[in-house]
Amino acid sequence: MNRINQKLQEDKKILSIYFSAGYPNLNDTVQIIQDLEKNGVDMIEIGLPFSDPLADGPTIQASSTQALHNGMTSQILFDQLKDIRQSVTIPLVIMGYFNPMLQYGVENFCKKCAEIGIDGLIIPDLPVDVYAEQYKATFEKYGLINVFLITPQTSDERIRFIDSVSGGFIYMVSSASVTGSQSGFGSTQEDYFKRIADMNLKNPQVIGFGINNAETFNQATQYAKGAIIGSAFITHLTENGTGKIEEFVKGIR
């Protein structure tokens, strides 16, 4: 069974952390992953930097730009992670845009992910219809879960279609905004969280965008299996370097 599915079956709320590979420094990637697992994070989303990140707010964009300046590429990331499964057991997901994967070759990219022990991919700009028609078989061949995003504007019909082609979790974007652009959740978002929970989808939901502290983590996980923190963790890395990861995680739960 895929590590993502195993983790989702555990009787706990999932804390997933996102960071940009190659940030703050090119060779920090593996140490950050190891430290996050050591301090109790349940899943990690490794951002593959891209020059035109549509869904990312200024904090993640800046870290992605710096990582590219540091020299991060798909191949360097794969080289950095080649032995990651000797020290890390939690699910690892690569989150990135489709262009670098297309350039690398979709099948080659998936094969490489499988070889090093990546469990899934999140590709915000790959439409679910295109995935289902052209790439689903390739992902499944290499045992990779593809995670799709939904927003408050996504129709029930499309959510059910996404649910039907998904095999891990659904990434529930908390609001129609970019990452890192809000603080706290109001009644509109809570109504949305509840509406999706009441749809009784076959895949659990994990909420992202706007989770930045214990309060928002707890708010989100009232209605969902877990929550994802990205911008707040990158801000922490920017301000503290890689030395105070334990402090950050303990501040969430």
Side-chain angles (χ1 to χ4, degrees), residues 12-231:
K12 65 187 293 193
K13 296 298 187 179
I14 302 300
L15 171 60
S16 181
I17 297 284
Y18 168 96
F19 75 99
S20 300
Y23 181 83
N25 301 298
L26 180 63
N27 294 314
D28 286 338
T29 310
V30 170
Q31 187 66 56
I32 290 172
I33 292 169
Q34 290 170 336
D35 286 352
L36 286 170
E37 179 178 52
K38 186 172 73 179
N39 288 291
V41 169
D42 299 298
M43 183 161 59
I44 298 171
E45 293 172 22
I46 305 160
L48 179 60
F50 181 55
S51 56
D52 190 21
L54 304 174
D56 297 324
T59 301
I60 291 178
Q61 279 193 30
S63 69
S64 185
T65 299
Q66 184 59 53
L68 290 171
H69 287 161
N70 291 345
M72 180 53 72
T73 64
S74 299
Q75 189 58 54
I76 286 174
L77 178 59
F78 288 141
D79 290 344
Q80 288 180 349
L81 297 179
K82 68 182 182 349
D83 298 320
I84 195 67
R85 286 303 174 192
Q86 292 179 19
S87 60
V88 172
T89 62
I90 61 173
L92 298 176
V93 177
I94 289 180
M95 183 169 185
Y97 294 86
F98 194 50
N99 188 282
M101 297 175 195
L102 206 54
Q103 287 185 345
Y104 198 89
V106 176
E107 178 142 12
N108 287 338
F109 194 95
C110 290
K111 184 180 180 199
K112 204 71 186 160
C113 285
E115 284 173 2
I116 63 178
I118 296 298
D119 302 293
L121 296 170
I122 302 173
I123 313 165
D125 60 343
L126 175 60
V128 61
D129 324 63
V130 176
Y131 166 76
E133 290 167 16
Q134 297 182 33
Y135 300 110
K136 189 171 188 281
T138 304
F139 278 59
E140 290 177 350
K141 175 181 174 182
Y142 293 103
L144 295 169
I145 285 174
N146 195 21
V147 177
F148 292 98
L149 286 73
I150 63 171
T151 75
Q153 283 69 43
T154 309
S155 69
D156 285 5
E157 180 185 16
R158 192 156 184 85
I159 290 169
R160 293 205 182 277
F161 177 59
I162 287 170
D163 191 43
S164 73
V165 300
S166 297
F169 65 92
I170 292 172
Y171 189 134
M172 203 169 144
V173 176
S174 66
S175 63
S177 63
V178 294
T179 56
S181 61
Q182 63 188 71
S183 178
F185 298 124
S187 59
T188 303
Q189 283 152 320
E190 292 205 355
D191 288 347
Y192 159 59
F193 297 163
K194 188 172 186 307
R195 176 172 69 84
I196 302 302
D198 289 344
M199 287 181 74
N200 295 313
L201 303 173
K202 74 179 175 76
N203 292 281
Q205 300 89 58
V206 180
I207 296 176
F209 291 47
I211 322 285
N212 50 32
N213 54 26
E215 181 188 1
T216 45
F217 177 80
N218 291 333
Q219 251 185 311
T221 55
Q222 276 182 15
Y223 302 96
K225 178 62 180 175
I228 301 156
I229 297 178
S231 297

